Amino acid sequence: MLFRALRLWRRAPQPRLERFYWYVLKPLFAFALILWYTPQYALAVRRRFGVSLAAQVAAQCRLAFREWVNPRCYYFHEHYRRAGAPDIDGYVMRHEIKEGLLKSLHKLQPKVHGVRINLGHKLDFAEACADFGLPTPEILAYARRGKLIVADGARLQQDLFVKPEQGRGAVGARIFTAEAGAPVDLAARVLQIARASWLTAQIVQPLLQNHSGLADLAGESLVTIRVFTCIDASDHPVVTHAMLRSIGKLEPDWPTGEEFAAPIDLATGRLGRMCSDSRFGPDGRTDHHPMTGAPVAGRKVPLWPAIHALARAAHRVFADRLLVGWDVALTPDGPVLIEGNSYPDTEFLQRVHEQPIGASPLGPLLAHHLDRLEQLRGRFWSEL
C-alpha cells in the first residue's frame, strides 16, 4: 500500500508508458518466466510432492496476474511444499525494496555524520571504517582513468583482490594470484588494473585468507557471512538474520557462477542446509557444499559471537541506515568487515532461511518503521 501511495511504482515519465509497462510488458515477461521455469522443475515437483502440472501453472499465474508478483517465486520460495494457493503476505519482494521503499525508510534515520555515507562507495566506506576503528581490508592502491595511485609498488606483488570503487556484490571483482615460487609480473598487473579503471575506478586490496574453520567451503575466494541488522524502536541495531555465502563467480575452477548460502542460527552460530540462488528444485538443498563436498549442515561458525558483535558495532557507526546487510569475512586474525549493503537482497535471504520476513525477527521491526512512514505520509497530506 505504501509503495503505491508514495508513487514509487512509477517506471516512466509518461502515463501512457507507465500503463504500457504494467499492462503489456509486465504480463508478457511474467508469461515468459512461467514458460521458462515450468519445464525445468514441474516434473520433479509432481514426482516428489504430487502437485499436478496444471496446479503448478495455475499457482504461478495467480502470483503473476492476481498478486502482481514475479511467478518465479513459486519455485524460488518452494511454495509447492505447502498445499493450497501460495501465501505471500509475509514476503518482502525485491521490486518494492529496490524501487524506493527502503530508500524512504532510510530517510527516517537522522544523518548522524552530517551527510549519509554511501556504503556502496568502497573508498568512502573504508575510510569511515578506519576512522571509527572497524576492521576492514587495507587499500593498497587506487586506480582511475588509466592511472594507478600506490604508496608502495612492492606491496602489489602479493596476492590481490581488485574490485570496482562503486558496485554491487562481486560484479567486476578479480583475484590476482601467483604460483608458489614464481615471480610476479608487476608491470603486467599494474597495466591490467589501470586499463580496467578507464571504465570504472578500481581499488586494490590484499587477498585475505579464510579462517581454517571455513577454508574447505571455498577455493581461492573469500567465504563471507552476510549479517542483517535493523534499528529497533529504541534506536539500537538488532541482528535479525545471518547466512554463510560462497560465490562461484569468484572461483576460476568452479563450473558455475552460482551463489551458495546456508542459514546461521543466531544463538549458536550453527549452519543449516545449503542452497543455491539459481537452482530451485526439490533437491536443491544439501547438507554438503555442492562444489567442495565439505560438510555444512550442523557445523558451527568459528568466533560467531565476535562476528555478531562486529555487525552491531558497524550499524552503530552507520546508524543513518535503517536496515543493512553486512558482509563479514572470518580470517586467521579474526572477523573483518568487507562491506555494508544498504539495499540488500531480501528474496535470497528468505529462500535461504525458508521463512518470509514477516514471520522472522525482522518482521516486527520492519512493521514498526513502515507504521512510522505511514504516519509521516498522513501528516504530510493533512498539512497540504
Side-chain angles (χ1 to χ4, degrees):
M1 181 274 292
L2 280 173
F3 181 77
R4 293 177 179 175
L6 296 173
R7 298 184 66 80
L8 300 174
W9 50 268
R10 296 179 64 88
R11 298 295 298 245
Q14 298 296 326
R16 289 183 180 178
L17 292 179
E18 292 168 4
R19 288 194 291 269
F20 180 72
Y21 168 79
W22 282 101
Y23 299 112
V24 179
L25 291 183
K26 192 172 177 67
L28 286 176
F29 184 62
F31 184 66
L33 289 175
I34 294 172
L35 291 179
W36 175 257
Y37 286 110
T38 302
Q40 296 184 55
Y41 303 115
L43 293 179
V45 169
R46 184 179 66 178
R47 184 172 60 253
R48 285 281 303 276
F49 297 96
V51 184
S52 68
L53 300 183
Q56 294 180 52
V57 172
Q60 292 176 78
C61 288
R62 178 187 178 93
L63 288 173
F65 306 117
R66 182 172 176 177
E67 306 285 358
W68 290 91
V69 168
N70 188 324
R72 183 193 70 151
C73 290
Y74 179 74
Y75 293 112
F76 190 74
H77 293 302
E78 302 176 12
H79 288 292
Y80 48 76
R81 295 178 181 271
R82 297 169 286 277
D87 180 7
I88 63 166
D89 285 348
Y91 285 91
V92 176
M93 300 301 182
R94 178 183 290 113
H95 180 69
E96 287 80 5
I97 288 293
K98 295 291 186 180
E99 293 298 327
L101 188 55
L102 189 50
K103 184 176 182 180
S104 298
L105 290 171
H106 284 323
K107 289 181 178 180
L108 296 176
Q109 295 299 107
K111 299 177 182 179
V112 293
H113 304 296
V115 295
R116 297 188 197 279
I117 299 173
N118 184 355
L119 299 187
H121 194 282
K122 307 298 191 297
L123 193 59
D124 289 349
F125 176 74
E127 291 175 349
C129 288
D131 290 341
F132 288 93
L134 297 174
T136 53
E138 180 185 4
I139 295 181
L140 302 176
Y142 174 79
R144 174 182 283 178
R145 297 177 182 173
K147 294 182 179 180
L148 186 69
I149 303 172
V150 56
D152 184 358
R155 301 193 65 190
L156 298 183
Q157 297 188 41
Q158 62 184 299
D159 291 344
L160 303 175
F161 186 72
V162 181
K163 59 184 179 181
E165 176 190 56
Q166 193 161 5
R168 181 170 56 91
V171 177
R174 290 173 297 160
I175 294 174
F176 288 86
T177 59
E179 295 184 8
V184 174
D185 189 343
L186 185 58
R189 277 191 176 184
V190 170
L191 183 61
Q192 282 184 277
I193 297 170
R195 282 178 174 173
S197 71
W198 278 110
L199 296 177
T200 306
Q202 307 283 311
I203 61 172
V204 183
Q205 299 173 322
L207 181 63
L208 300 181
Q209 300 299 313
N210 289 306
H211 187 281
S212 59
L214 300 178
D216 58 350
L217 298 175
E220 294 185 8
S221 69
L222 198 62
V223 174
T224 57
I225 297 165
R226 171 64 64 87
V227 184
F228 278 70
T229 58
C230 183
I231 299 295
D232 66 9
S234 302
D235 289 329
H236 297 298
V238 177
V239 174
T240 65
H241 294 82
M243 59 186 186
L244 181 142
R245 304 165 68 212
S246 179
I247 302 176
K249 67 178 67 174
L250 294 177
E251 295 285 358
D253 297 329
W254 289 7
T256 179
E258 296 170 84
E259 178 179 337
F260 303 100
I264 301 175
D265 182 88
L266 298 183
T268 64
R270 197 173 298 278
L271 293 171
R273 305 187 78 197
M274 181 164 271
C275 67
S276 162
D277 67 342
S278 58
R279 282 185 280 183
F280 320 140
D283 301 318
R285 298 181 187 273
T286 62
D287 292 335
H288 293 74
H289 195 291
M291 294 293 109
T292 70
V296 175
R299 72 191 286 178
K300 295 184 70 173
V301 176
L303 302 176
W304 168 243
I307 297 170
H308 188 287
L310 177 57
R312 294 185 64 209
H315 206 153
R316 282 193 290 270
V317 170
F318 299 97
D320 55 359
R321 299 297 197 284
L322 191 134
L323 173 68
V324 182
W326 305 101
D327 284 340
V328 180
L330 186 58
T331 73
D333 298 322
V336 175
L337 190 63
I338 302 299
E339 64 181 22
N341 191 333
S342 53
Y343 297 93
D345 182 0
T346 56
E347 286 205 45
F348 192 41
L349 172 79
Q350 293 168 111
R351 168 167 168 74
V352 170
H353 286 80
E354 301 183 70
Q355 182 186 54
I357 282 177
S360 77
L362 179 55
L365 301 178
L366 196 57
H368 166 72
H369 295 299
L370 288 170
D371 287 343
R372 291 174 60 200
L373 189 61
E374 183 178 11
Q375 292 171 6
L376 288 174
R377 171 182 166 268
R379 189 181 311 150
F380 171 78
W381 285 112
S382 65
E383 289 176 356
L384 286 181

